Amino acid sequence: MKLYCLSGHPTLPCNVLKFKSTTIMLDCGLDTTSVLNFLPLPLVHSPRLSKLPGWISKDGTINLEKELKECAGRVFVDSQPEFCLPEKELLDLSTIDVILISNYHCMMALPYITEHTGFTGTVYATEPTLQIGRLLMEELVNFMERVPKAQSATSWKNKDMQRLLPGPLKDAVDVWTWKRCYGIQEVNSALSRVQLVGYSQKVELFGAVQVSPLSSGYSLGSSNWIIQSHHEKVAYVSGSSLLTTHPQPMDQSSLKNSDVLILTGLTQMPTANPDGMLGEFCSNLAMTIRAGGNVLVPCYSSGVIYDLLECLYQFIDSANLGTTPFYFISPVANSSLEFSQIFAEWLCHNKQTKVYLPEPPFPHAELIQTNKLKHYPSIHGDFSSDFRQPCVVFTGHPSLRFGDVVHFMELWGKSGLNTIIFTEPDFSYLDALAPYQPLAMKCVYCPIDTRLNFHQVAKLLKEVQPLHVVCPEQYTQPPMTQSHRSDLMLELQPPPMPYRRCSVLNLPFRRRYERVYILPELAHSLVPTEVKPGVSIATVSAVLHSKDNKHTLQSVPKPPPVPPTKKRKRVMEEPPVAPKPLLSGAVPLEAFLATLQMHGITEVKVEETADGHILHLQAEDTLIQLEEDGTHIVCDNNEPLRTTLRDLVLRFLQKL
Amino acid sequence: MDGDCVSLLPRVCDVLAAPRSSLPDDTSLEKLLDWFTTFSKSGVSLLEVNPCLQGFISTVVSSRAAESSIISFALKLTGLVAAAEDGFRALQANSVLDLAFNPQHWREDGLWDDPCVRIGWIQGFSTMLQHRQAFSFFVQADSIKPLLQLQTDTSLFVASAASQMLAHVLMLSHPLLSGFNGKEVDDKSSSSSITGLMRPAVIEADQDVAAVVTEILEYLKTRMLPKESSQLHQSQQILKLLALILSQAGPSLRDKLLLFLREPLEELVALNYSQLTRPLMDVILAAYSSIRGDEKVPDPILCHLLSVMLNQRKPFDRIHAAAAFLCSGHDNQIHMAQSACILLLPMEIITGLTLLEGNSTVKEHRLLMMEQLQSKISCISMICISLKHIPKITLMAPDCRPCPPAVVVAAVLALLRLCRGLSPPSLNGCVAVFRNVTGSGKVQKCALEALSALSSSSEVSVMLVEVFTLLIEYLNHPDSDPTMLQKSYQALVQWIGVCSNLSSITNQLKEDLTQVVRKRACDMRWEVRDSTVEFLGHLAGLPACRTEVGGACNAAEYLLGGCCVTTPLLVEALHDPESYVRASAVSALAQTMTHSWQEGVVPTKEQAEIVTQLLEMLSQDTEGFARRAVLQYFITWFSSHPSCTSSPLLMQSVRSVLLQGSADLDWEVKVHTLDLAELLMDQAFLGQHGYTKGLESHPAQPHPYAATAKQAYTLTQRSDLLCALDGLVKQGLLSVLLSGLFDCDRPVGLKACRLLIRLKHVLLLKTQDESDAVKTDPRLYCELLSQGWAQEIRNVLGTEDRSNETDPHTVTVNVCNLVTSLDLEERLDVLTRSSDHFYNSPRSLLQDILTASAAHAQQDSQLKEEVIVDCY
């Protein structure tokens, strides 16, 4: 069993598991942090961004002024943003049989894997994962396509050139693998390969293994996966949460007794408690509005935003924010808000029961009805006529490099009354803000990451007790900035197996058993002998038939009447040798000694050993070793005696 | 004892003595006993007044069918009766005492197994031991043996009562022996009334008494040491008894006891049983507590025991022992310093700061302590104990404390940072221990409390900036729970309060504080908003502090930029959905305004708007808390303003407040309204003859023969009084008082009645000798509505007063007539009694017992009838 690690990002994993002749890809997350190296794509012409000076090295030897621009002391690539893809060279992607998706954030690289690689397999995901994943992909495509940029910067990627660039561009890794965003056709094609599954549904893969998604409690339709054969079980835990938020709670018990547990997607903010962050979010929001400023919340169009809106629904009245407009701007805003209301079966119990009342499970429906929350596909159109300040705007993309958020940054960045509140943990807020500096706007960082923290995961692993744990190497040491926090790492016994991008791990367990079926007629022909109460054995002569990873024992076909040939005679001359009978049972010492005595062997010295006894027949100078799993007669040059002794031993044993 | 009760008691005794008697509730017997005890304490002979009691006692004691609760009651009553010598003799004559206090008698029927009977026996006996005869009875009956057995009884109540009695017996016996031996008698014991009573009788040697003392001491000595760990409970009980005795004993008995019990005590201390740490420390501290000021050198045995407790035990026990000793506040410098070191050791290990430089004994304990700190539970427990006592250490004499207070403050700050994971442990600190405290809410709360308390230590003001910085960090931290935030605010107020010079607080810190307060005022959790608002109020209430320019300034003004920050936040909080926050905001606003009120500053437009909002709250707020706070706001304003009449806004508001407050549904709001009315009265009548201010609600009646200085009154004063009254009537005061008088809530009625009596006194004294012209002065008349309580007043007054010609719904009354006709004194008498005074009377109790019994009997007969019908 092998694990190929194609991504080094612990929360955007992409691993391939080779298990019992199947090749299973576990998630295909897209690392979008690379876009932080690019200039923002403004929706409306930005004189500031268009006038940025090009970059020329200090000594003037390198001139990349068309590709690189200087802004607030940093250098950015002036081109369509590019993403860091999972490793494609480690193994042939066309050999992948299936892809298991755990949540909609971990499938954004799917078109890069399924398209133009020869991939012919199936992708398994739950319905909300597919639908919301589709929304996120469409949004991403829309963000990119509505601000087309003809220029594609490649010169800076030249190794010799790159190492002369200022940081962080200089330190960017695998820049040649960075790719521009896919198109809508690729999205559609990739998603057409998805086959929907429900929680605990068992899907057979080639008869060899069975895969099954379990609720992971992180987002709508998010799953952990169990991959098991008859005798082996691998658990894949990715992006799980034990907090009481909108999704169904995490199914922990099904993860028990795994041979290997692959652990990814822990919280990126182990020191930020989501409840505390939510409180910070609300109080900073209220404080800004009270002071007459606007609040900008760069966020994804699905996920934590549902919880934020729910929290605000309760907070609005207590903070006297009843008249403040809340805007949600995204090409998929409408679909996202509506989808969340229809996936009732994937929601937590409280929300499920609301559906039967019937009431919308999420209170944002009421916010929309009462006009407190308004949603728009973009800043153009209706929004510009409805727009009223002070207000709260939720919009993407959280990287601040593309999407409507860029416009609001340009609009509000210069006033100290306004506040930007970061709630998504995926991007460093300082890096995200870098191209907008100097900034008068107040910045608040409240990353809300509901995924498991180290304390919770330690408890979980204690409960489910896997034999081995495999995890990204980042989890096996404290964070670099807090090297003293030994509580922010996994401490297990045996220690977890760490992986990094491009690692290939031999998973530390051997397959010891395989299930074999026996056909009824063959079974009928067997003659079992009881060796001890409840245990019977029989010798089987059969033909092993293996097909689709299923093994069956069939009766030995009777030899067809062989046409008389010359060979026949030879066959007749050598009759088939009957298999020797199998022996079972134990030799009782006292009775055996008595039998020896009856046969005239009287001088026997008995020595007790760890495994049984050694009988020394002194007169005959012979040893008989009686052990649990074997009997040896050591008798030199006295074949008659050996035969006699053997026969005496055989008297006490059963023959099969 | 009134006649009714005396006549009822025999029937009650019959009921109680009857088998299967039924009681109205479990507390009836206790109440009855309390009633008897009150009588007996007043010196009345119970048997003389109630001869039936003797019959009751002897019936119950000799009955085989009485219930254990009745037996217990009878035993306690026996003790009470026999506590008087005549009672004792009477009961002794009937041999009731022999029977009642013979445990064997109760054992025969298996009643002794009931803890209720055992406790009745102990308490009865204990109550009886008030005189020589009773004590002789105790000695002769050899009751010491069963009593000693009960000291380790399975029932904690029985064991505790037995310990109390044993201590009592020893206290009685010891002076008898000392007197016999001709030695010094303990001051404490000789001062007790019991021994005082007994002393004259002790002339002859009493071997039996000596035997009792010996038996108790031997018992203590032989049973103190547990032979196996299962006997630890017994040792604990014995140590508790010893502590009890030592706390009551004087130096002589203490020294004898310590000498006699030295061996087992030393052995016990050395045995290192954690469970015995606390009882052992109780013993040591009880012995210490009996050390008088003139005894300069503590007992060497005691010193030795304490040294062992502080040095040789496990770290966890040592911390407990040190904490107990430090708490006791004894003047033993060596052990105090040692205790301080022990308590500071965990802090030193965790923070890595040097708190105990050069202390050799501590070095020995360090390894053991570090080991113990590895365990999370004991680590947190020890640190919390340490933190709780740290402030006391900083208050110790400089030559006694191990390090300067500022270093201790630094250690607490370092610990708080560690808890937040804010800074890495220094190299000296133990990393494994660091994990135990990271994120521990309990440690953080204790540390914040300690930090608060440390503000009052000397030489700590140098730490102000660091404390400020950390507390702001805490207030800002998203993970701080409401309690932590509240404690942080409290600590901040404490530190600002004691540091008269805030000039070291930088502008950045002030800005940070302002930002964090603004943020927390918008917090999701109402508790946090409430704490924030309270903080603003407390800050405003602090005395003026010195600033960098050398001037004096209000702390809120200096730190938060004054009203431009505070007031808008508080005004915003007036609309908070949570009533507690609204109430706190109103109080905080009052504290913020007090300063300007005291100076008589003319209210700004903003303040006038606040008043409008508050009046709105008073009439519309659905929660009582907020409305009460509004009343308090006006009371504070009224009482802090130098001249209320000079503030038209205040006087206008008061009229509305009185009107709305008296019509409120909440009784506390109404009482507060009356408080405001009282202030109005004080202001109007102060200086007038016959008027008393404040709590003197019953002005002393002028002595019949005292010379009244009538001549001192001038016409101007009389006119002033009538003007003042007129002013009060116009403010609506009279309506408030009268409506309060007829209010269904007793506290409201009581307060109104007292105020009306004061009004009556001042008016009557003025008008009694005046001409009719004065009595008919129009200013003495007021109009009353003809509905509600006013109708009642009209009924009281009859038709004497005039109906208003213009408005048929109102009636005009003479205030003097009104206050005299209401019979206020009688009303006050009724109102002063608690509403359940009748139901709690002894007579009611006795009747209840009889009624319950009758009901029970009826039920029984019905049952019997049913059975008969069935059988038939």
Side-chain angles (χ1 to χ4, degrees), chain B residues 341-530:
Chain B
C341 289
I342 291 169
L343 286 164
L344 285 174
L345 185 58
M347 290 293 287
E348 182 175 271
I349 291 173
I350 291 175
T351 61
L353 293 174
T354 310
L355 301 174
L356 309 167
E357 201 169 15
N359 192 312
S360 56
T361 46
V362 165
K363 278 180 192 162
E364 298 160 19
H365 300 322
R366 186 177 295 271
L367 276 177
L368 279 174
M369 178 64 86
M370 276 179 88
E371 205 173 286
Q372 185 106 50
L373 285 170
Q374 310 278 330
S375 141
K376 187 162 185 169
I377 294 171
S378 56
C379 172
I380 288 176
S381 172
M382 285 199 290
I383 291 172
C384 288
I385 295 171
S386 178
L387 284 168
K388 196 178 167 196
H389 295 89
I390 268 182
K392 290 192 197 89
I393 297 173
T394 59
L395 296 174
M396 285 162 63
D399 53 338
C400 194
R401 67 191 176 208
C403 61
V407 182
V408 177
V409 174
V412 175
L413 294 177
L415 178 67
L416 280 165
R417 286 204 186 87
L418 289 180
C419 289
R420 277 278 189 250
L422 287 179
S423 65
S426 67
L427 287 174
N428 299 335
C430 178
V431 182
V433 181
F434 163 69
R435 276 186 76 157
N436 289 338
V437 294
T438 306
S440 162
K442 198 174 172 192
V443 171
Q444 290 178 70
K445 282 166 198 162
C446 284
L448 285 169
E449 277 171 9
L451 196 60
S452 232
L454 281 168
S455 64
S456 53
S457 306
S458 57
E459 308 159 34
V460 291
S461 54
V462 286
M463 299 300 292
L464 181 68
V465 174
E466 283 182 54
V467 171
F468 228 80
T469 312
L470 181 111
L471 288 175
I472 291 174
E473 268 173 38
Y474 257 75
L475 288 172
N476 209 6
H477 203 284
D479 288 347
S480 295
D481 65 31
T483 321
M484 278 183 212
L485 289 171
Q486 191 198 25
K487 289 190 188 301
S488 302
Y489 277 134
Q490 281 168 355
L492 210 49
V493 169
Q494 290 286 335
W495 276 81
I496 297 168
V498 293
C499 289
S500 54
N501 189 348
L502 296 178
S503 56
S504 52
I505 304 297
T506 60
N507 286 339
Q508 183 57 49
L509 278 175
K510 286 192 266 182
E511 176 60 23
D512 290 349
L513 181 65
T514 311
Q515 280 303 316
V516 83
V517 167
R518 278 199 172 120
K519 185 176 87 175
R520 290 301 177 195
C522 303
D523 202 278
M524 283 173 81
R525 299 156 292 184
W526 71 263
E527 297 94 329
V528 177
R529 298 198 298 273
D530 195 44

Side-chain angles (χ1 to χ4, degrees), chain B residues 600-616:
Chain B
V601 179
V602 179
T604 58
K605 194 182 163 200
E606 190 190 28
Q607 285 174 349
E609 281 170 9
I610 291 173
V611 169
T612 315
Q613 285 194 43
L614 292 178
L615 290 174
E616 216 169 273

Side-chain angles (χ1 to χ4, degrees), chain B residues 19 32 73 115 154 246 282 395 419 429 477 528 558 629 697 734 832:
Chain B
L32 209 53
F73 168 72
T154 46
L246 285 170
D282 286 344
L395 296 174
C419 289
H477 203 284
V528 177
Y558 181 67
S697 50
L734 201 66
T832 316

Side-chain angles (χ1 to χ4, degrees), chain B residues 287-328:
Chain B
Y288 255 97
S289 69
S290 65
I291 295 174
R292 289 183 305 214
D294 53 345
E295 282 182 85
K296 287 201 174 155
V297 186
D299 190 292
I301 301 171
L302 212 50
C303 276
H304 174 71
L305 290 175
L306 192 58
S307 292
V308 177
M309 289 299 287
L310 296 177
N311 282 308
Q312 289 171 19
R313 293 178 75 84
K314 295 170 202 157
F316 193 74
D317 299 336
R318 215 160 43 221
I319 285 253
H320 274 289
F325 189 70
L326 202 69
C327 267
S328 66

Side-chain angles (χ1 to χ4, degrees), chain A residues 271-280 282-284 286-287 290 311 314-315 317-320 442 482 484-489 491, chain B residues 420-425 431 434-435 438 475-479 515 517-525 529 569 572-573 575-577:
Chain A
T271 54
N273 169 17
D275 284 337
M277 289 298 140
L278 211 53
E280 284 290 287
C282 286
S283 41
N284 280 294
M287 198 166 67
R290 279 187 192 177
C311 178
Q314 291 157 1
F315 182 64
D317 290 331
S318 72
N320 298 321
K442 204 178 146 208
Q482 290 168 299
H484 62 287
R485 295 293 298 266
S486 55
D487 53 327
L488 303 182
M489 60 181 276
E491 276 188 320
Chain B
R420 277 278 189 250
L422 287 179
S423 65
V431 182
F434 163 69
R435 276 186 76 157
T438 306
L475 288 172
N476 209 6
H477 203 284
D479 288 347
Q515 280 303 316
V517 167
R518 278 199 172 120
K519 185 176 87 175
R520 290 301 177 195
C522 303
D523 202 278
M524 283 173 81
R525 299 156 292 184
R529 298 198 298 273
L569 287 178
E572 190 83 42
H575 303 286
D576 199 281

Side-chain angles (χ1 to χ4, degrees), chain A residues 80-131:
Chain A
Q80 184 98 13
E82 294 176 344
F83 306 124
C84 180
L85 271 50
E87 185 59 47
K88 284 175 143 184
E89 307 299 322
L90 200 60
L91 86 166
D92 182 0
L93 296 178
S94 67
T95 61
I96 291 169
D97 298 314
V98 290
I99 302 177
L100 307 180
I101 304 293
S102 53
N103 62 66
Y104 46 76
H105 287 298
C106 292
M107 63 184 286
M108 298 300 279
L110 200 59
Y112 295 116
I113 305 291
T114 59
E115 307 309 302
H116 319 299
T117 57
F119 173 80
T120 53
T122 311
V123 182
Y124 289 100
T126 62
E127 192 181 359
T129 303
L130 169 67
Q131 299 303 352

